[in-house]
mmCIF file of all heavy atoms in Angstrom:
data_model
loop_
_atom_site.group_PDB
_atom_site.id
_atom_site.type_symbol
_atom_site.label_atom_id
_atom_site.label_comp_id
_atom_site.label_asym_id
_atom_site.label_seq_id
_atom_site.Cartn_x
_atom_site.Cartn_y
_atom_site.Cartn_z
ATOM 1 N N ILE A 42 11.178 28.047 44.425
ATOM 2 C CA ILE A 42 10.514 29.166 43.752
ATOM 3 C C ILE A 42 10.323 30.325 44.726
ATOM 4 O O ILE A 42 9.893 30.122 45.859
ATOM 5 C CB ILE A 42 9.142 28.726 43.194
ATOM 6 C CG1 ILE A 42 9.313 27.557 42.211
ATOM 7 C CG2 ILE A 42 8.429 29.891 42.521
ATOM 8 C CD1 ILE A 42 7.999 26.969 41.722
ATOM 9 N N ASP A 43 10.642 31.528 44.283
ATOM 10 C CA ASP A 43 10.435 32.738 45.091
ATOM 11 C C ASP A 43 9.328 33.578 44.464
ATOM 12 O O ASP A 43 9.171 33.617 43.229
ATOM 13 C CB ASP A 43 11.718 33.570 45.174
ATOM 14 C CG ASP A 43 12.805 32.882 45.988
ATOM 15 O OD1 ASP A 43 12.451 32.142 46.921
ATOM 16 O OD2 ASP A 43 13.992 33.068 45.669
ATOM 17 N N TYR A 44 8.556 34.284 45.305
ATOM 18 C CA TYR A 44 7.460 35.141 44.853
ATOM 19 C C TYR A 44 7.709 36.565 45.367
ATOM 20 O O TYR A 44 7.403 36.873 46.520
ATOM 21 C CB TYR A 44 6.121 34.619 45.385
ATOM 22 C CG TYR A 44 5.798 33.201 44.942
ATOM 23 C CD1 TYR A 44 6.105 32.110 45.765
ATOM 24 C CD2 TYR A 44 5.197 32.952 43.713
ATOM 25 C CE1 TYR A 44 5.819 30.809 45.373
ATOM 26 C CE2 TYR A 44 4.906 31.659 43.322
ATOM 27 C CZ TYR A 44 5.219 30.588 44.144
ATOM 28 O OH TYR A 44 4.932 29.298 43.756
ATOM 29 N N PRO A 45 8.238 37.447 44.525
ATOM 30 C CA PRO A 45 8.565 38.805 44.971
ATOM 31 C C PRO A 45 7.349 39.703 45.172
ATOM 32 O O PRO A 45 7.427 40.735 45.827
ATOM 33 C CB PRO A 45 9.458 39.332 43.849
ATOM 34 C CG PRO A 45 9.016 38.577 42.643
ATOM 35 C CD PRO A 45 8.661 37.208 43.131
ATOM 36 N N GLY A 46 6.205 39.317 44.600
ATOM 37 C CA GLY A 46 4.995 40.134 44.729
ATOM 38 C C GLY A 46 4.185 40.132 43.456
ATOM 39 O O GLY A 46 4.714 39.871 42.365
ATOM 40 N N GLY A 47 2.886 40.424 43.581
ATOM 41 C CA GLY A 47 2.005 40.399 42.421
ATOM 42 C C GLY A 47 1.931 38.995 41.853
ATOM 43 O O GLY A 47 1.829 38.020 42.593
ATOM 44 N N ASN A 48 1.992 38.888 40.520
ATOM 45 C CA ASN A 48 1.964 37.584 39.870
ATOM 46 C C ASN A 48 3.355 37.103 39.478
ATOM 47 O O ASN A 48 3.509 36.119 38.751
ATOM 48 C CB ASN A 48 1.082 37.631 38.618
ATOM 49 C CG ASN A 48 -0.378 37.853 38.956
ATOM 50 O OD1 ASN A 48 -0.849 37.402 40.000
ATOM 51 N ND2 ASN A 48 -1.104 38.554 38.086
ATOM 52 N N ALA A 49 4.370 37.823 39.927
ATOM 53 C CA ALA A 49 5.735 37.487 39.541
ATOM 54 C C ALA A 49 6.257 36.280 40.312
ATOM 55 O O ALA A 49 5.852 36.015 41.446
ATOM 56 C CB ALA A 49 6.649 38.684 39.786
ATOM 57 N N TRP A 50 7.153 35.561 39.681
ATOM 58 C CA TRP A 50 7.834 34.440 40.327
ATOM 59 C C TRP A 50 9.149 34.197 39.613
ATOM 60 O O TRP A 50 9.308 34.529 38.444
ATOM 61 C CB TRP A 50 6.978 33.179 40.292
ATOM 62 C CG TRP A 50 6.760 32.604 38.917
ATOM 63 C CD1 TRP A 50 5.831 32.986 37.992
ATOM 64 C CD2 TRP A 50 7.515 31.531 38.311
ATOM 65 N NE1 TRP A 50 5.935 32.244 36.860
ATOM 66 C CE2 TRP A 50 6.952 31.331 37.017
ATOM 67 C CE3 TRP A 50 8.578 30.727 38.716
ATOM 68 C CZ2 TRP A 50 7.443 30.376 36.139
ATOM 69 C CZ3 TRP A 50 9.062 29.761 37.860
ATOM 70 C CH2 TRP A 50 8.501 29.589 36.576
ATOM 71 N N TYR A 51 10.098 33.658 40.328
ATOM 72 C CA TYR A 51 11.362 33.287 39.693
ATOM 73 C C TYR A 51 12.021 32.174 40.501
ATOM 74 O O TYR A 51 11.719 31.972 41.684
ATOM 75 C CB TYR A 51 12.298 34.493 39.567
ATOM 76 C CG TYR A 51 12.676 35.148 40.871
ATOM 77 C CD1 TYR A 51 13.737 34.664 41.641
ATOM 78 C CD2 TYR A 51 11.988 36.274 41.331
ATOM 79 C CE1 TYR A 51 14.096 35.273 42.834
ATOM 80 C CE2 TYR A 51 12.331 36.881 42.529
ATOM 81 C CZ TYR A 51 13.390 36.383 43.267
ATOM 82 O OH TYR A 51 13.735 36.974 44.449
ATOM 83 N N LEU A 52 12.880 31.454 39.827
ATOM 84 C CA LEU A 52 13.604 30.377 40.481
ATOM 85 C C LEU A 52 14.828 30.918 41.203
ATOM 86 O O LEU A 52 15.362 31.976 40.841
ATOM 87 C CB LEU A 52 14.046 29.332 39.443
ATOM 88 C CG LEU A 52 12.931 28.572 38.737
ATOM 89 C CD1 LEU A 52 13.489 27.686 37.639
ATOM 90 C CD2 LEU A 52 12.150 27.730 39.737
ATOM 91 N N SER A 53 15.258 30.200 42.207
ATOM 92 C CA SER A 53 16.439 30.597 42.958
ATOM 93 C C SER A 53 17.619 30.810 42.008
ATOM 94 O O SER A 53 17.989 29.904 41.256
ATOM 95 C CB SER A 53 16.796 29.510 43.976
ATOM 96 O OG SER A 53 18.087 29.703 44.478
ATOM 97 N N PRO A 54 18.225 32.022 42.013
ATOM 98 C CA PRO A 54 19.371 32.288 41.122
ATOM 99 C C PRO A 54 20.517 31.315 41.363
ATOM 100 O O PRO A 54 21.218 30.927 40.416
ATOM 101 C CB PRO A 54 19.765 33.724 41.478
ATOM 102 C CG PRO A 54 18.521 34.330 42.056
ATOM 103 C CD PRO A 54 17.843 33.213 42.782
ATOM 104 N N ASP A 55 20.719 30.932 42.605
ATOM 105 C CA ASP A 55 21.797 29.985 42.904
ATOM 106 C C ASP A 55 21.540 28.640 42.237
ATOM 107 O O ASP A 55 22.467 28.000 41.723
ATOM 108 C CB ASP A 55 21.930 29.791 44.421
ATOM 109 C CG ASP A 55 22.449 31.046 45.114
ATOM 110 O OD1 ASP A 55 23.077 31.869 44.419
ATOM 111 O OD2 ASP A 55 22.225 31.179 46.329
ATOM 112 N N LEU A 56 20.257 28.191 42.245
ATOM 113 C CA LEU A 56 19.919 26.922 41.614
ATOM 114 C C LEU A 56 20.135 27.000 40.109
ATOM 115 O O LEU A 56 20.745 26.105 39.511
ATOM 116 C CB LEU A 56 18.458 26.563 41.902
ATOM 117 C CG LEU A 56 17.944 25.300 41.211
ATOM 118 C CD1 LEU A 56 18.686 24.063 41.721
ATOM 119 C CD2 LEU A 56 16.448 25.145 41.412
ATOM 120 N N GLU A 57 19.651 28.066 39.479
ATOM 121 C CA GLU A 57 19.788 28.213 38.029
ATOM 122 C C GLU A 57 21.253 28.255 37.628
ATOM 123 O O GLU A 57 21.659 27.651 36.624
ATOM 124 C CB GLU A 57 19.067 29.475 37.554
ATOM 125 C CG GLU A 57 18.981 29.587 36.042
ATOM 126 C CD GLU A 57 17.961 30.600 35.596
ATOM 127 O OE1 GLU A 57 17.187 31.101 36.441
ATOM 128 O OE2 GLU A 57 17.912 30.889 34.379
ATOM 129 N N SER A 58 22.072 28.960 38.416
ATOM 130 C CA SER A 58 23.494 29.049 38.121
ATOM 131 C C SER A 58 24.159 27.670 38.243
ATOM 132 O O SER A 58 24.977 27.285 37.399
ATOM 133 C CB SER A 58 24.163 30.035 39.075
ATOM 134 O OG SER A 58 25.561 30.067 38.875
ATOM 135 N N LYS A 59 23.763 26.936 39.274
ATOM 136 C CA LYS A 59 24.356 25.616 39.496
ATOM 137 C C LYS A 59 23.982 24.643 38.386
ATOM 138 O O LYS A 59 24.831 23.909 37.866
ATOM 139 C CB LYS A 59 23.886 25.070 40.854
ATOM 140 C CG LYS A 59 24.565 23.762 41.261
ATOM 141 C CD LYS A 59 24.130 23.367 42.650
ATOM 142 C CE LYS A 59 24.884 22.109 43.125
ATOM 143 N NZ LYS A 59 26.322 22.351 43.280
ATOM 144 N N ILE A 60 22.695 24.643 38.008
ATOM 145 C CA ILE A 60 22.227 23.711 36.978
ATOM 146 C C ILE A 60 22.849 24.044 35.623
ATOM 147 O O ILE A 60 23.231 23.151 34.862
ATOM 148 C CB ILE A 60 20.690 23.723 36.883
ATOM 149 C CG1 ILE A 60 20.063 23.305 38.211
ATOM 150 C CG2 ILE A 60 20.225 22.792 35.764
ATOM 151 C CD1 ILE A 60 20.522 21.986 38.743
ATOM 152 N N SER A 61 22.964 25.315 35.315
ATOM 153 C CA SER A 61 23.542 25.709 34.026
ATOM 154 C C SER A 61 24.993 25.252 33.900
ATOM 155 O O SER A 61 25.479 25.007 32.791
ATOM 156 C CB SER A 61 23.445 27.222 33.835
ATOM 157 O OG SER A 61 24.211 27.902 34.815
ATOM 158 N N SER A 62 25.682 25.127 35.037
ATOM 159 C CA SER A 62 27.083 24.675 35.006
ATOM 160 C C SER A 62 27.204 23.158 34.975
ATOM 161 O O SER A 62 28.215 22.619 34.524
ATOM 162 C CB SER A 62 27.841 25.226 36.217
ATOM 163 O OG SER A 62 27.336 24.674 37.431
ATOM 164 N N LEU A 63 26.160 22.467 35.456
ATOM 165 C CA LEU A 63 26.212 21.010 35.521
ATOM 166 C C LEU A 63 25.639 20.325 34.283
ATOM 167 O O LEU A 63 26.063 19.238 33.916
ATOM 168 C CB LEU A 63 25.441 20.509 36.755
ATOM 169 C CG LEU A 63 26.029 20.848 38.128
ATOM 170 C CD1 LEU A 63 25.055 20.418 39.226
ATOM 171 C CD2 LEU A 63 27.379 20.162 38.317
ATOM 172 N N ALA A 64 24.652 20.960 33.651
ATOM 173 C CA ALA A 64 23.967 20.344 32.519
ATOM 174 C C ALA A 64 24.802 20.421 31.252
ATOM 175 O O ALA A 64 25.561 21.373 31.034
ATOM 176 C CB ALA A 64 22.620 21.019 32.297
ATOM 177 N N ALA A 65 24.651 19.401 30.417
ATOM 178 C CA ALA A 65 25.351 19.408 29.135
ATOM 179 C C ALA A 65 24.791 20.502 28.237
ATOM 180 O O ALA A 65 25.533 21.182 27.518
ATOM 181 C CB ALA A 65 25.214 18.043 28.468
ATOM 182 N N THR A 66 23.479 20.680 28.261
ATOM 183 C CA THR A 66 22.820 21.773 27.545
ATOM 184 C C THR A 66 21.830 22.431 28.502
ATOM 185 O O THR A 66 21.226 21.750 29.331
ATOM 186 C CB THR A 66 22.071 21.278 26.294
ATOM 187 O OG1 THR A 66 21.100 20.290 26.684
ATOM 188 C CG2 THR A 66 23.045 20.641 25.300
ATOM 189 N N PHE A 67 21.661 23.714 28.378
ATOM 190 C CA PHE A 67 20.776 24.426 29.303
ATOM 191 C C PHE A 67 19.933 25.431 28.548
ATOM 192 O O PHE A 67 20.442 26.284 27.814
ATOM 193 C CB PHE A 67 21.594 25.141 30.381
ATOM 194 C CG PHE A 67 20.750 25.860 31.401
ATOM 195 C CD1 PHE A 67 20.126 25.162 32.415
ATOM 196 C CD2 PHE A 67 20.567 27.244 31.334
ATOM 197 C CE1 PHE A 67 19.332 25.808 33.355
ATOM 198 C CE2 PHE A 67 19.780 27.896 32.261
ATOM 199 C CZ PHE A 67 19.167 27.181 33.284
ATOM 200 N N ASP A 68 18.603 25.306 28.716
ATOM 201 C CA ASP A 68 17.635 26.223 28.117
ATOM 202 C C ASP A 68 16.835 26.815 29.281
ATOM 203 O O ASP A 68 16.084 26.097 29.951
ATOM 204 C CB ASP A 68 16.724 25.465 27.153
ATOM 205 C CG ASP A 68 15.716 26.361 26.447
ATOM 206 O OD1 ASP A 68 15.239 27.331 27.079
ATOM 207 O OD2 ASP A 68 15.373 26.085 25.287
ATOM 208 N N SER A 69 16.993 28.107 29.534
ATOM 209 C CA SER A 69 16.353 28.726 30.698
ATOM 210 C C SER A 69 14.832 28.640 30.641
ATOM 211 O O SER A 69 14.167 28.456 31.670
ATOM 212 C CB SER A 69 16.798 30.191 30.834
ATOM 213 O OG SER A 69 16.451 30.922 29.670
ATOM 214 N N ASP A 70 14.249 28.774 29.436
ATOM 215 C CA ASP A 70 12.792 28.685 29.313
ATOM 216 C C ASP A 70 12.303 27.272 29.631
ATOM 217 O O ASP A 70 11.308 27.093 30.344
ATOM 218 C CB ASP A 70 12.346 29.071 27.895
ATOM 219 C CG ASP A 70 12.550 30.553 27.610
ATOM 220 O OD1 ASP A 70 12.557 31.332 28.576
ATOM 221 O OD2 ASP A 70 12.705 30.911 26.431
ATOM 222 N N ARG A 71 13.007 26.297 29.079
ATOM 223 C CA ARG A 71 12.651 24.909 29.358
ATOM 224 C C ARG A 71 12.831 24.604 30.841
ATOM 225 O O ARG A 71 12.020 23.911 31.457
ATOM 226 C CB ARG A 71 13.539 23.984 28.504
ATOM 227 C CG ARG A 71 13.475 22.496 28.866
ATOM 228 C CD ARG A 71 12.087 21.938 28.696
ATOM 229 N NE ARG A 71 12.035 20.508 29.027
ATOM 230 C CZ ARG A 71 10.939 19.866 29.341
ATOM 231 N NH1 ARG A 71 9.774 20.499 29.381
ATOM 232 N NH2 ARG A 71 10.968 18.574 29.617
ATOM 233 N N PHE A 72 13.884 25.155 31.427
ATOM 234 C CA PHE A 72 14.159 24.940 32.844
ATOM 235 C C PHE A 72 13.010 25.487 33.697
ATOM 236 O O PHE A 72 12.539 24.838 34.632
ATOM 237 C CB PHE A 72 15.474 25.633 33.202
ATOM 238 C CG PHE A 72 15.913 25.435 34.621
ATOM 239 C CD1 PHE A 72 16.160 24.170 35.126
ATOM 240 C CD2 PHE A 72 16.076 26.520 35.470
ATOM 241 C CE1 PHE A 72 16.556 23.978 36.447
ATOM 242 C CE2 PHE A 72 16.477 26.344 36.789
ATOM 243 C CZ PHE A 72 16.714 25.070 37.267
ATOM 244 N N GLU A 73 12.518 26.671 33.368
ATOM 245 C CA GLU A 73 11.403 27.264 34.108
ATOM 246 C C GLU A 73 10.132 26.430 33.948
ATOM 247 O O GLU A 73 9.366 26.259 34.905
ATOM 248 C CB GLU A 73 11.154 28.695 33.639
ATOM 249 C CG GLU A 73 12.137 29.708 34.184
ATOM 250 C CD GLU A 73 11.697 31.140 33.894
ATOM 251 O OE1 GLU A 73 10.653 31.310 33.218
ATOM 252 O OE2 GLU A 73 12.391 32.057 34.329
ATOM 253 N N ASP A 74 9.894 25.922 32.741
ATOM 254 C CA ASP A 74 8.686 25.138 32.481
ATOM 255 C C ASP A 74 8.608 23.899 33.365
ATOM 256 O O ASP A 74 7.513 23.451 33.727
ATOM 257 C CB ASP A 74 8.625 24.719 31.012
ATOM 258 C CG ASP A 74 8.135 25.844 30.107
ATOM 259 O OD1 ASP A 74 7.575 26.827 30.650
ATOM 260 O OD2 ASP A 74 8.317 25.740 28.881
ATOM 261 N N LEU A 75 9.744 23.343 33.729
ATOM 262 C CA LEU A 75 9.755 22.156 34.578
ATOM 263 C C LEU A 75 9.173 22.439 35.958
ATOM 264 O O LEU A 75 8.645 21.544 36.621
ATOM 265 C CB LEU A 75 11.184 21.620 34.726
ATOM 266 C CG LEU A 75 11.848 21.094 33.451
ATOM 267 C CD1 LEU A 75 13.276 20.656 33.743
ATOM 268 C CD2 LEU A 75 11.057 19.933 32.862
ATOM 269 N N PHE A 76 9.254 23.696 36.390
ATOM 270 C CA PHE A 76 8.782 24.057 37.725
ATOM 271 C C PHE A 76 7.358 24.620 37.717
ATOM 272 O O PHE A 76 6.776 24.837 38.772
ATOM 273 C CB PHE A 76 9.723 25.080 38.360
ATOM 274 C CG PHE A 76 11.036 24.507 38.792
ATOM 275 C CD1 PHE A 76 12.065 24.341 37.879
ATOM 276 C CD2 PHE A 76 11.243 24.102 40.106
ATOM 277 C CE1 PHE A 76 13.289 23.793 38.268
ATOM 278 C CE2 PHE A 76 12.456 23.560 40.506
ATOM 279 C CZ PHE A 76 13.483 23.399 39.583
ATOM 280 N N ARG A 77 6.819 24.844 36.526
ATOM 281 C CA ARG A 77 5.501 25.463 36.444
ATOM 282 C C ARG A 77 4.407 24.668 37.176
ATOM 283 O O ARG A 77 3.532 25.264 37.808
ATOM 284 C CB ARG A 77 5.120 25.685 34.979
ATOM 285 C CG ARG A 77 3.920 26.580 34.766
ATOM 286 C CD ARG A 77 3.801 26.986 33.313
ATOM 287 N NE ARG A 77 4.875 27.887 32.920
ATOM 288 C CZ ARG A 77 4.850 29.200 33.112
ATOM 289 N NH1 ARG A 77 3.802 29.755 33.706
ATOM 290 N NH2 ARG A 77 5.845 29.951 32.727
ATOM 291 N N PRO A 78 4.417 23.324 37.129
ATOM 292 C CA PRO A 78 3.380 22.577 37.870
ATOM 293 C C PRO A 78 3.433 22.790 39.380
ATOM 294 O O PRO A 78 2.462 22.479 40.083
ATOM 295 C CB PRO A 78 3.689 21.115 37.519
ATOM 296 C CG PRO A 78 4.429 21.178 36.226
ATOM 297 C CD PRO A 78 5.241 22.419 36.308
ATOM 298 N N PHE A 79 4.545 23.330 39.894
ATOM 299 C CA PHE A 79 4.710 23.492 41.333
ATOM 300 C C PHE A 79 4.489 24.936 41.792
ATOM 301 O O PHE A 79 4.700 25.268 42.957
ATOM 302 C CB PHE A 79 6.103 23.014 41.749
ATOM 303 C CG PHE A 79 6.397 21.605 41.338
ATOM 304 C CD1 PHE A 79 7.091 21.343 40.160
ATOM 305 C CD2 PHE A 79 5.937 20.543 42.097
ATOM 306 C CE1 PHE A 79 7.342 20.036 39.759
ATOM 307 C CE2 PHE A 79 6.184 19.229 41.708
ATOM 308 C CZ PHE A 79 6.888 18.978 40.530
#
Side-chain angles (χ1 to χ4, degrees):
I42 302 174
D43 291 329
Y44 301 95
N48 293 327
W50 67 277
Y51 60 85
L52 295 174
S53 166
D55 291 338
L56 176 65
E57 189 164 351
S58 176
K59 186 175 184 65
I60 300 305
S61 64
S62 66
L63 293 173
T66 58
F67 182 78
D68 182 325
S69 59
D70 291 335
R71 169 61 179 159
F72 183 60
E73 282 190 357
D74 280 345
L75 295 178
F76 287 83
R77 192 168 291 276
F79 304 96

